[in-house]
Amino acid sequence: MASSHVPAPSPSPSAASPPPASNVASGLVNLRPSYDLVIVGCGLSGCVIAERASAVLGLTSLIIDKRSHIGGNCFDYIDEASGLRISQYGVHLFHTKSERVWEYVNRFEEWMPYCHRVKAKVDLQRGNGYQLTSLPPNRETVNTLFDANVTSEEDMEAWLASRRVGN
């Protein structure tokens, strides 16, 4: 589970364009006379607390949020004009190494594998403009920035040792 994932696109009513803000109050229908819990915030934490309280303890919850959707900042929707998934508040990645957490989140959504790579644009002052290199630093970074030929962990250790300032 060391890889990152993002929710898979799935055409569903909940993945439609976000409702206009004027419809926010319309969610106040079919309310029960009472609830065991009132949870403020319908982001990931609020949703998990409500689900766990219901599934484990049999409690009822009323979740309230100022926004017209669930998921907090992780909310996305399918743009009707383009058919593309839009991350309303910017892309969010999910990371976990916990099998228990991975099994839990997969109960609610299908996920797509995603490998996040970060590149830096560096001017090496060699007359050929900017170069792209990996961050955080790794063998590719050392090879790109220093014209090295590091191909193994042993090569990297030797390269670092040759440049280390003595104590």
Side-chain angles (χ1 to χ4, degrees), residues 2-63:
S3 63
S4 299
H5 294 79
V6 294
S10 57
S12 68
S14 64
S17 295
S22 62
N23 290 343
V24 173
S26 68
L28 300 175
V29 294
N30 298 325
L31 294 177
R32 296 178 179 188
S34 67
Y35 293 87
D36 298 313
L37 300 172
V38 174
I39 299 169
V40 178
C42 202
L44 296 182
S45 296
C47 290
V48 169
I49 290 169
E51 188 280 330
R52 294 284 71 206
S54 174
V56 175
L57 304 173
L59 299 175
T60 59
S61 298
L62 171 64
I63 307 175

Side-chain angles (χ1 to χ4, degrees), residues 44-84:
L44 296 182
S45 296
C47 290
V48 169
I49 290 169
E51 188 280 330
R52 294 284 71 206
S54 174
V56 175
L57 304 173
L59 299 175
T60 59
S61 298
L62 171 64
I63 307 175
I64 57 174
D65 198 292
K66 67 180 180 179
R67 294 178 176 161
S68 62
H69 58 75
I70 65 170
N73 288 343
C74 293
F75 176 74
D76 60 16
Y77 63 95
I78 304 298
D79 178 65
E80 292 176 11
S82 66
L84 297 174

